[in-house]
Structure formats: C-alpha cells, structure tokens
Amino acid sequence: MSTRPTQRRDGANQSGNRSGGKSSETKERYVRPDRYDRTRNDRRPEAPPAETARMRGDHLSPALFEHTQRLLGSVLTFTGPADMLVSTYFRANAKLGHRERGVLAETVFAILRRKLEFGQHAGSGSGPLERRLALLGLAFTRGLTSVQLVATPDEVTWLEHVGQIDPASLSTRVRTNLPDWLYERLAKRFDAAELEPLAAALNQPAPLDCRVNLIKGNRDDVLAQLRADGFSAEPTPFAPNGIRLAGKPALQKHPLFISGTIEVQDEGSQLLCQLVAPRRGEMIVDFCAGAGGKTLAIGAQMRSTGRLYAFDVSDKRLAKLKPRLARSGLSNVYPVMIDSENDSKIKRLAGKIDRVLVDAPCSGLGTLRRNPDLKWRQSPQSVAELTQKQTSILASAARLVKPGGRLVYATCSLLNEENSAIAEAFAAAHPDFALVPANELLASQKIALDTGKYLELLPNRHATDGFFAAVFERRAAEKAPKAPKAAPEVTEVTEVAAPEAPEASAE
C-alpha cells in the first residue's frame, strides 16, 4: 500500500509476538478484586536476580517494570507508529528475552487501546503518569499478581479499588476509548446500539488469519497439517482460502510458512482479492501494493499466469515483497516503483489493463485492533489530506482500465468520507464506469456475505478488520458509425510497436 500510515493490515509485519498480540486466554477486561488472578503459583525454575529485566514466574521484576514505563513513555510521544517505536526499543535493549518482549508489547498496546479509560482511573492514583498507566495495564491484562514485586501497598489498594468500578458507570465516551472527533464521526454513521460493540471489538487484539497459497496447497490439507502440529486452526467464515489460528502462534519457523504455502493475511484483505476475481492470463495492476499481501493472493488466483504489476511509491515497502514473492513460487509478479500516481509508467499502460485494485492510502482506522495508536495519531486534518489523495489516485488508476475491465477501490477505514463519499464522487465524475454490486460478485463465487452494493466489513459483525470496497466496470466503448467507402489510397505502412511494459524491479 502506498502512503498509508499503518502497515500492515495484510499481515506483512505481523509475527507470532506481534505488538500487543495475546492469546484468547488473556483477554483484556475489567477485573474485580475477587477476579484478579491471585492463584497462579510460581512453578518455574528460580528466576534470575531481581535486578535483571526478567519475569519472575508470573511477576515482573523491578527492572522489567522500569522497561515497561520507559517503553510506554516513548510510545505515548506518538512520534511514529507504535510498532516501529516498540521495535526500535527492543533493538536498543537486545538483552530482553522473548517472553519479556511479549509482556512489554502486550502491556503497552493494551494501554493504547484503553487510554481514555486508564487515563480516567489514573487520575485517582499518585506518582508519575507512566507508572500509574503501566500498573493499570499490567493488572488488567495479566492480573494483580503480576505487579506484586513492584507495586507499593498503597498502589495495590488503589488497583483493587479500580477493579471494583463497574464499567457501566463510566461514560460512553470513556468506555469506547475513542478521541472526540472520531467518536462524533462514527456516531453519525452508527447508532448507539452498534457503536459501543464496534468500539469494544476495536479494543480487542485481532486474531491471526492466514491465506493458503493455491499454487502450493489447498485449505483442507493445510488445516489437517496445522492441527496435527498442535495448532488450533479453523476455516475463516467467508474467505474460501483463509485459516484462523487461535492465540498468536509463531509461524516464521513453521514449514508451511517457510515454503510459502501459507501467508499471514487478514480475512477482510483476502475478500478484497475475491472482488478483483482475476482470471488466468490477464493483465492486472495492484496500484498501491505496499508489501504485497494482496498482490500475492491475486497472483495465486491467476495460477501464476498473465502479468501482475505491483505499483508503489515506496521502495522500502516493495523490498518487503521480495522475500514473500520468493517463497510464493509466483512468476507473474512485476514490482514497479512509481514516483506518483501520474508516473509515465502508468501512462504507457492506459486502457490496457483487465483489472485494477486501488487499496488506497487511508487513515487505517479499521485496523485499530492491530494499530491502536492510529486513533490518537490521526486527526480531522490528516483525514482531509488523505481524501484528496484518494480522489487523485483513484482517477489516475481508472485510466489503466480497458473497456469491459474492472476497477476496485478499497480502504481499511471506517469513515464515510474515505469510503462511500469517494466512490460516489468518482462515479459522478466518470460516467463511463458503472458500479457493480459487491454482494452479487461474492454470491457468484458462493461466498455467503451480503453487505449491500459496497463491501463494508466490521470487526463486531464479521470478525475482520474494518474494510470498504467499491467495484466498478468500465463500459465498453460505443462503436462509431461506419464511414462511407472511399477510393483506396497508397499510404506508407509503419510497424505498430507493442505497448512498452513498465520496468520491473530486480528480484
């Protein structure tokens, strides 16, 4: 994807210990004192000395708690994406173990998800704000036992008091954990009966979804192998090649991942590719390819035939596609770096492409399960800038589509101004494109999902990230009336050169 501030909803940067990820056994929730986990016994070998940044059984050592506060302070500056800041911190503190990194990331991302809620509770405590937030994040995600070695008696009493607060007594604004501007915009789209469940779903970690690479396997066989290897795996409800794994298992070293048989990709992202519905031998463009999650899915649907161009303005994002492409076994993908939506490489393909996917740069507010910092980093001003770019990119990409070809506009936003408003404005300005109902396209593929003329996915309804997609088809050009026959003239014959393809980057 092009200049999207969040990477990646298609799973390119997702890993087994993904920032903020945690298993279904440790869901974030309010916990009353009698529900704090006081029963865990330390049955592990003796922990390292307290001065080291390690877990001591189920307890944080003082040194690890200090790391929690320092990392939280860094992330709350919002000077960059949270996952990037977390990764930078881990590189600077390379001695932190795998388990400790997981605890730190889980705690920090829990606080980002529930920042308004925890901020209100923190007001009744004492001491530095980062310390109060860290204590709340740990108590609400890992139980009060986790802070036994680092909390003072007064802090334990305070945490127990907070645990007794009924969530229903908090205001709706605080319970949703959304900034004012975002709450107001979503309240215009969703009624109260849906807004709160939507916010609650956005404040939970996302599951780990995978896509089976059709070039190398099928879903039934892959499911059987994953289950035999001890994974809790189920078919995704809608995407025909998707698998959902319980918890956050580390897949990087699994043979199915190494061989390219599976790729991490949210089910919603997979469904976008079903709307593209590529056919063998076609010419297709993924206009904002990013790290190539959807590119690889489309290439597999094409059975590695035809030509599939992966355009992006970022060479760094395209570089992340290369190892994934090598694993995939595809030979029909051509990564192409462009300088903008008006690059000359695009002009040379005008009117020649069968299908174009525009997964446009957007606010990423549909991916808050994975990127909770975005709701605090985005603003009305940044959204307004994005809508201008989305309009320009969609208009430019439309020039590529040949008569009878398909154009798919998609975002991972929840805001109408980035979604239906862009689609409707495009349709009004381009009468040569007709809207194709998304529900009909999915029904033709026997996918039992009907969200109307647009694809509109929500985590509380569909257990996916929030996605939007509109599908257009370019009307066939009307045939011009035949001119009367004229006397033959002798003219110079010139050779018509085949259209020059964009220059692909080296693999």
Side-chain angles (χ1 to χ4, degrees), residues 52-238:
T52 63
R54 297 289 181 185
M55 291 294 292
R56 303 185 69 188
D58 291 317
H59 317 312
L60 270 77
S61 69
L64 187 56
F65 184 64
E66 178 63 25
H67 276 291
T68 307
Q69 296 177 79
R70 288 166 53 195
L71 176 57
L72 179 61
S74 172
V75 170
L76 290 180
T77 62
F78 298 115
T79 54
D83 55 357
M84 181 191 75
L85 295 175
V86 170
S87 297
T88 299
Y89 188 88
F90 288 163
R91 285 196 299 271
N93 296 272
K95 292 184 179 180
L96 287 168
H98 175 80
R99 185 186 179 201
E100 286 68 32
R101 292 178 183 224
V103 170
L104 290 174
E106 176 185 11
T107 303
V108 168
F109 273 69
I111 294 166
L112 288 171
R113 292 187 179 99
R114 301 170 69 173
K115 190 166 81 73
L116 278 185
E117 204 176 340
F118 289 171
Q120 179 162 312
H121 293 321
S124 62
S126 60
L129 178 60
E130 285 84 1
R131 179 179 178 86
R132 285 175 277 157
L133 291 174
L135 288 170
L136 286 165
L138 288 162
F140 277 73
T141 57
R142 307 188 67 80
L144 192 57
T145 305
S146 65
V147 296
Q148 179 176 317
L149 300 180
V150 296
T152 66
D154 286 345
E155 287 171 333
V156 171
T157 300
W158 167 64
L159 291 170
E160 289 178 338
H161 166 73
V162 171
Q164 292 178 324
I165 297 174
D166 184 354
S169 69
L170 302 174
S171 69
T172 303
R173 275 277 295 103
V174 172
R175 288 199 305 272
T176 57
N177 282 284
L178 296 171
D180 289 341
W181 72 272
L182 181 55
Y183 178 87
E184 292 168 1
R185 295 196 184 192
L186 293 180
K188 292 179 181 178
R189 177 181 174 188
F190 304 102
D191 59 29
E194 179 153 33
L195 179 54
E196 199 158 349
L198 170 61
L202 290 170
N203 287 328
Q204 291 294 326
L208 181 61
D209 291 350
C210 296
R211 174 185 55 81
V212 176
N213 180 359
L214 298 177
I215 298 295
K216 297 193 172 186
N218 63 75
R219 183 160 72 172
D220 289 341
D221 290 344
V222 171
L223 274 170
Q225 184 171 342
L226 287 171
R227 288 166 177 167
D229 292 340
F231 292 91
S232 177
E234 298 294 336
T236 47
F238 307 112

Side-chain angles (χ1 to χ4, degrees), residues 298-300 302-309 330-334:
I298 293 170
M302 297 169 70
R303 294 300 195 276
S304 201
T305 64
R307 295 180 73 86
L308 173 54
Y309 296 110
L330 296 175
S331 59
N332 63 336
V333 176
Y334 300 87

Side-chain angles (χ1 to χ4, degrees), residues 156-418:
V156 171
T157 300
W158 167 64
L159 291 170
E160 289 178 338
H161 166 73
V162 171
Q164 292 178 324
I165 297 174
D166 184 354
S169 69
L170 302 174
S171 69
T172 303
R173 275 277 295 103
V174 172
R175 288 199 305 272
T176 57
N177 282 284
L178 296 171
D180 289 341
W181 72 272
L182 181 55
Y183 178 87
E184 292 168 1
R185 295 196 184 192
L186 293 180
K188 292 179 181 178
R189 177 181 174 188
F190 304 102
D191 59 29
E194 179 153 33
L195 179 54
E196 199 158 349
L198 170 61
L202 290 170
N203 287 328
Q204 291 294 326
L208 181 61
D209 291 350
C210 296
R211 174 185 55 81
V212 176
N213 180 359
L214 298 177
I215 298 295
K216 297 193 172 186
N218 63 75
R219 183 160 72 172
D220 289 341
D221 290 344
V222 171
L223 274 170
Q225 184 171 342
L226 287 171
R227 288 166 177 167
D229 292 340
F231 292 91
S232 177
E234 298 294 336
T236 47
F238 307 112
N241 304 308
I243 292 175
R244 180 158 295 159
L245 298 169
K248 293 287 184 179
L251 291 178
Q252 284 74 11
K253 296 182 180 179
H254 194 279
L256 288 172
F257 182 85
I258 294 172
S259 67
T261 305
I262 58 174
E263 268 285 347
V264 175
Q265 185 178 18
D266 183 79
E267 183 184 19
S269 178
Q270 297 180 46
L271 289 169
L272 296 183
C273 302
Q274 298 298 135
L275 292 178
V276 177
R279 297 175 180 173
R280 299 188 186 199
E282 290 184 329
M283 288 181 66
I284 297 178
V285 169
D286 185 354
F287 203 82
C288 306
K294 284 171 285 297
T295 303
L296 299 178
I298 293 170
Q301 288 177 281
M302 297 169 70
R303 294 300 195 276
S304 201
T305 64
R307 295 180 73 86
L308 173 54
Y309 296 110
F311 288 172
D312 204 273
V313 297
S314 170
D315 57 343
K316 291 183 178 178
R317 284 194 288 268
L318 287 176
K320 294 178 181 178
L321 168 60
K322 291 183 180 180
R324 305 175 79 189
L325 180 58
R327 289 195 306 268
S328 73
L330 296 175
S331 59
N332 63 336
V333 176
Y334 300 87
V336 182
M337 182 180 170
I338 56 176
D339 56 30
S340 72
E341 63 267 27
N342 299 310
D343 193 293
S344 60
K345 302 183 185 74
I346 299 171
K347 296 178 181 179
R348 290 200 291 266
L349 288 175
K352 299 179 175 67
I353 303 300
D354 295 285
R355 298 167 199 264
V356 177
L357 171 62
V358 180
D359 185 14
C362 72
S363 64
L365 293 170
T367 70
L368 294 181
R369 301 184 305 170
R370 306 175 195 278
N371 305 287
D373 57 307
L374 282 176
K375 59 186 172 182
W376 311 117
R377 293 174 51 227
Q378 294 289 12
S379 67
Q381 293 74 27
S382 64
V383 171
E385 293 172 2
L386 284 165
T387 57
Q388 294 179 8
K389 192 164 190 65
Q390 289 155 359
T391 300
S392 176
I393 289 175
L394 182 56
S396 179
R399 294 180 297 170
L400 297 174
V401 184
K402 71 181 186 181
R406 179 172 297 179
L407 173 66
V408 179
Y409 171 75
T411 76
C412 57
S413 174
L414 300 172
L415 302 179
N416 283 334
E417 54 260 56
E418 296 186 84

